[in-house]
Amino acid sequence: MSALDVTLWVVAPYVALTVFVLGHVWRYRYDKFGWTTRSSQMYESRLLRIGSPLFHFGILVVLLGHIGGLVIPKTWTEAAGVSEHAYHLAAVALGTVAGVCTVAGLAILIYRRRTVGPVFTATTRNDKLMYALLALTIALGLAATVVANILGGGYDYRTTISPWFRSVFYLQPQGESMAAAPILFKLHALSALVLFAVWPFTRLVHMLTAPVGYLTRPYIVYRSRDDRRGSRPPRRGWEPAAVPDDSRRR
Amino acid sequence: MTRVMAQLAMVMNLDKCIGCHTCSVTCKQAWTNRAGTEYVWFNNVETRPGQGYPRTYEDQDRWKGGWELNRRGRLQLKAGGRLKKLLTIFANPLMPSIGDYYEPWTYDYDRLFSAPVTEDTPVARPRSLITGEPTKIKWSANWDDDLAGAPELAPADPVLRKVSDQVKLEFERAFMFYLPRICEHCLNPSCVASCPSGAMYKRSEDGIVLVDQDRCRGWRMCVTGCPYKKVYFNHRTGKAEKCTFCYPRVEVGIPTVCSETCVGRLRYIGLILYDADRVAEAASTPDEKALYEAQKSVMLDPRDPEVVAAARASGIPEDWLEAARNSPIHKLIFDYGVALPLHPEYRTMPMVWYIPPLSPVVDVLRETGHDGERAGNLFGAIDALRIPIGYLAELFTAGDPEPVRAVLRRLAAMRSYMRGINLAGEREESIPAAVGLKGDQIEEMYRLLAIAPYGERYVIPKAHAEQGARLEELATECSLDYDGGPGMGGPFGEASGTPAPVAVENFHALKERQATDDLDRADELRGRVNLLNWDGKGTPDGLFPKRKDKS
Ligand code: HEM
Ligand code: SF4
Ligand code: SF4
């Protein structure tokens, strides 16, 4: 492995992951007020109502697809009796539908951002960077798939990219598997790494607080002084007076 | 045992509203004069009949705010259950657009000075605060004020559309009144129920409904959930904001800004005790017309020893119980029976109630040459006048005219009885008897409605010191944020960074006022007056133009 390969496929993933995790922690602690979708629906809803669900449902399926393809080892699916051919067919079929939705949705969203006056005015530089990286990652991913599957004879990324991806999480990174992948896949992975590194600092943070808890919580929320004392726990040295905990004296 | 909770509530006496919008303007100055909330009026005054603000918000077939009963008779959000909310979260199909409120604007004042010398006088053209482009002003929060454009606009009033055809024909003989509106701080708030992240909550100490600005994620479902459209989306910060019942003021025992500044002195604030465990049951009453009585049945009598015992057991402090006993709200709803809820059919159990206006009836009498203050005439007119009564009933009692009629008869009785005392010096006891009251009750009611001093109109117990500091930190802190302030322009765009907590701003402002011996020098407020801290005394800098000789 060359020094470049080590940098790209061993060092960079850990840097990106660290920034992703610590960035979210930092943002959550210091900028809860900025943690929002910053919805632009007040300004325009006709295009948003087509583009946003199309993009979001698409990208969520794509996300699931990535988890399926990268996280679940090939040996497992084969042990479950799914042949490589069947897996490939299913992945391509589902992937194509989801991919087309994502790209179409994203195109509508970006078109809307650019052409609808108030939406464009409300677009920050941060948003533009985020959109550029997002669009680049999606475009490269699409290009890699199209080139490999339609122009070429198909590429089994589950023997190269997936082991690399998993190896990063086992803390035994196998940079050489990724170094062997076609260039478009490499570029896709790289731009994804950059996207993950800026993720916590953009509006994309909204994904991490997807409100699934809504399904189970009671409708009416009451809050009283007993639930939460002020906006943060007392600083060291400022805890309210109380009888010391007996258990600590034993 | 009943779980007793205390609720700060308001009553507005519509007969006395002159539609001056002072309440709206002072509220805006205190809370929503920031970028992103240009279009937001926590307090607005609408002329009825009229479309309201945002336009036709009362048309729940379209906006689907509030609750409805499902087939099994259980309460559910009209806009759909939890799963449907999450599936439509990427683009909310029931969200009003800025055009449904209005596109806020300013004027190109600079042109007045910078225009080159020409034959024509330069004009300051309107510019949209949303796009920055020159704009045509087509609508506003009170475009149909005083029935302006009513022949075209009023027929779209959802309340008027509900009233029968007969009434519509008679509409030529116009009647009119003003309806000031704030958030209802409902007992069964559908905004809170609609919030996917659980950022909205009802304070268990005083029932004020607030948005936690740190937990709001901008899913904007609360805007849909509120049938009164009293949650607003700050389009710059991406967070929901709403009327706070001026919690920093009421916590120290002074009334809300809108009440303090009301020219008609028509607002009353006080406590109501209610049985929290029975709210959902009452809100599920099948017959819409029975919801008014159902809501009353949830409220408890603060003079009943059993209620007092249960309230003590629920941890309500003694001075709050005392305030509940003196509450003008309780008197207006129960003792005199003249206050009615706004749109009980939304099933949110609103807690800002209204005394319906008698003036449309009096006006008709006067126009037809009758004595508008004689009990006989008034009673007859109240029974005969279908238009105003039907309309008021659609507003306050889900269409049932009887409670409205009863209230108006009481108000009419008060007029004639007091006129008898003032002009002839005699107490005509048959008048109160006709409306089920006693003479001295009528006089007490007259006192409360006409001449009650500050301390009787606003009976607001202070938040307990041991609760106070925490209460302040609990609430929506960002609302005191302003453009260029600490909450704006953080590293990640305009919405990021930590806002200055209300406690801090209040502390500095109050310290300034206490430490200075010259009231005119309260100038730490960045060139604007923070009405939240103004107690009506003195003239802080910036409230009035400076005198020439002083500068
Ligand atoms: C399941 C979790 C998610 C939920 C609930 C969610 C929800 C939302 C909502 C409510 C908006 C605001 C739309 C508006 O009214 O303007 C939004 C915007 C956006 N979301 Fe998501 N989202 C999720 C996941 C994601 C993911 C995974 C991505 C991308 C990788 C993403 C990218 C975006 C983008 C780019 C916008 C801005 C759209 C625009 O206004 O131009 N979201 N999302
Ligand atoms: S009126 Fe206020 S408390 Fe009631 S649903 Fe609307 S925002 Fe919520
Ligand atoms: S200040 Fe009082 S009188 Fe004037 S519009 Fe508001 S409620 Fe009516």
Side-chain angles (χ1 to χ4, degrees), chain A residues 5 34-35 71 88 96 109-111 135 153 171 182 193 211 222 243-244:
Chain A
D5 281 338
W35 197 296
V71 176
H88 192 72
T96 311
L109 285 180
I110 293 180
Y111 170 80
L171 302 182
L193 287 180
Y222 294 95
V243 178

Side-chain angles (χ1 to χ4, degrees), chain A residues 132-156:
Chain A
L133 280 170
L134 193 61
L136 182 72
T137 311
I138 291 173
L140 284 170
L142 199 71
T145 313
V146 167
V147 169
N149 287 314
I150 298 177
L151 307 179
Y155 176 71
D156 190 2

Side-chain angles (χ1 to χ4, degrees), chain A residues 39 41-42 49 214, chain B residues 39 54 56-68 76-81 84-85 88-89 91-97 100-101 189-196 200 218-233 240-241 346 348:
Chain A
S39 162
Q41 193 173 349
M42 286 221 74
R49 279 190 61 185
Y214 184 51
Chain B
Y39 77 100
T56 68
Y57 69 94
E58 284 153 309
D59 182 356
Q60 302 309 342
D61 291 337
R62 178 170 173 212
W63 298 113
K64 307 227 182 281
W67 303 88
E68 65 184 5
Q76 70 178 28
L77 288 170
K78 204 177 169 83
K84 187 170 172 202
K85 279 243 148 59
T88 54
I89 201 169
N92 178 353
L94 296 166
M95 168 113 174
S97 73
D100 291 310
Y101 298 90
S190 51
C191 57
V192 173
S194 305
C195 172
M200 293 189 71
W219 307 120
R220 45 154 167 48
M221 288 297 173
C222 50
V223 181
T224 306
C226 173
Y228 304 92
K229 290 291 168 279
K230 278 293 171 190
V231 192
Y232 300 88
F233 195 77
E241 292 187 27
Y346 298 161
T348 61

Side-chain angles (χ1 to χ4, degrees), chain B residues 291-307:
Chain B
L291 279 163
Y292 158 55
E293 284 300 334
Q295 183 166 0
K296 272 171 71 176
S297 77
V298 173
M299 301 179 191
L300 303 169
D301 180 357
R303 285 162 221 147
D304 178 342
E306 270 178 44
V307 169

Side-chain angles (χ1 to χ4, degrees), chain A residues 39-40 48 55-56 113 131 203 206-207, chain B residues 89-90 220:
Chain A
S39 162
S40 53
L48 187 84
F55 168 76
H56 276 97
R113 283 262 150 208
Y131 262 119
R203 62 154 51 163
H206 71 268
M207 185 199 66
Chain B
I89 201 169
F90 306 117
R220 45 154 167 48

Side-chain angles (χ1 to χ4, degrees), chain B residues 16-23 45 180 262-264 266-267:
Chain B
K16 294 169 83 180
C17 181
I18 57 171
C20 64
H21 299 273
T22 305
C23 46
V45 183
C262 173
V263 171
L266 56 87
R267 297 189 184 216

Side-chain angles (χ1 to χ4, degrees), chain A:
Chain A
M1 254 199 313
S2 68
L4 182 68
D5 281 338
V6 173
T7 315
L8 292 184
W9 312 120
V10 178
V11 179
Y14 286 110
V15 172
L17 270 179
T18 312
V19 175
F20 185 84
V21 173
L22 292 186
H24 274 102
V25 172
W26 178 82
R27 182 102 189 254
Y28 191 77
R29 288 201 52 180
Y30 292 102
D31 185 31
K32 284 205 194 84
F33 184 53
W35 197 296
T36 158
T37 64
R38 206 139 36 77
S39 162
S40 53
Q41 193 173 349
M42 286 221 74
Y43 303 134
E44 199 279 350
S45 68
R46 206 174 46 87
L47 285 171
L48 187 84
R49 279 190 61 185
I50 310 166
S52 182
L54 210 56
F55 168 76
H56 276 97
F57 284 121
I59 195 92
L60 288 177
V61 172
V62 168
L63 225 70
L64 285 180
H66 276 67
I67 291 173
L70 294 175
V71 176
I72 301 172
K74 195 172 178 178
T75 47
W76 292 18
T77 48
E78 272 167 5
V82 183
S83 73
E84 163 65 19
H85 185 66
Y87 182 90
H88 192 72
L89 267 187
V92 167
L94 201 64
T96 311
V97 176
V100 168
C101 288
T102 310
V103 171
L106 190 68
I108 296 175
L109 285 180
I110 293 180
Y111 170 80
R112 170 176 176 271
R113 283 262 150 208
R114 187 63 198 83
T115 56
V116 178
V119 185
F120 188 51
T121 318
T123 306
T124 61
R125 252 184 278 152
N126 186 308
D127 288 339
K128 288 177 193 162
L129 175 72
M130 180 273 297
Y131 262 119
L133 280 170
L134 193 61
L136 182 72
T137 311
I138 291 173
L140 284 170
L142 199 71
T145 313
V146 167
V147 169
N149 287 314
I150 298 177
L151 307 179
Y155 176 71
D156 190 2
Y157 59 85
R158 293 211 293 162
T159 56
T160 55
I161 303 177
S162 308
W164 164 75
F165 184 84
R166 288 195 299 273
S167 73
V168 170
F169 290 92
Y170 298 151
L171 302 182
Q172 290 160 351
Q174 303 164 12
E176 60 284 357
S177 331
M178 190 63 203
I183 178 73
L184 278 174
F185 281 102
K186 282 184 179 168
L187 289 176
H188 172 60
L190 275 183
S191 91
L193 287 180
V194 179
L195 180 64
F196 291 143
V198 300
W199 194 289
F201 312 104
T202 65
R203 62 154 51 163
L204 291 180
V205 285
H206 71 268
M207 185 199 66
L208 234 66
T209 45
V212 280
Y214 184 51
L215 291 174
T216 52
R217 74 141 222 261
Y219 264 139
I220 309 294
V221 179
Y222 294 95
R223 269 214 226 159
S224 105
R225 57 199 158 107
D226 295 331
D227 294 352
R228 223 180 69 170
R229 314 187 133 203
S231 38
R232 48 186 82 84
R235 296 241 171 81
R236 247 172 8 117
W238 291 96
E239 292 95 351
V243 178
D245 191 354
D246 259 357
S247 60
R248 292 188 32 205
R249 276 192 280 166
R250 285 189 203 121

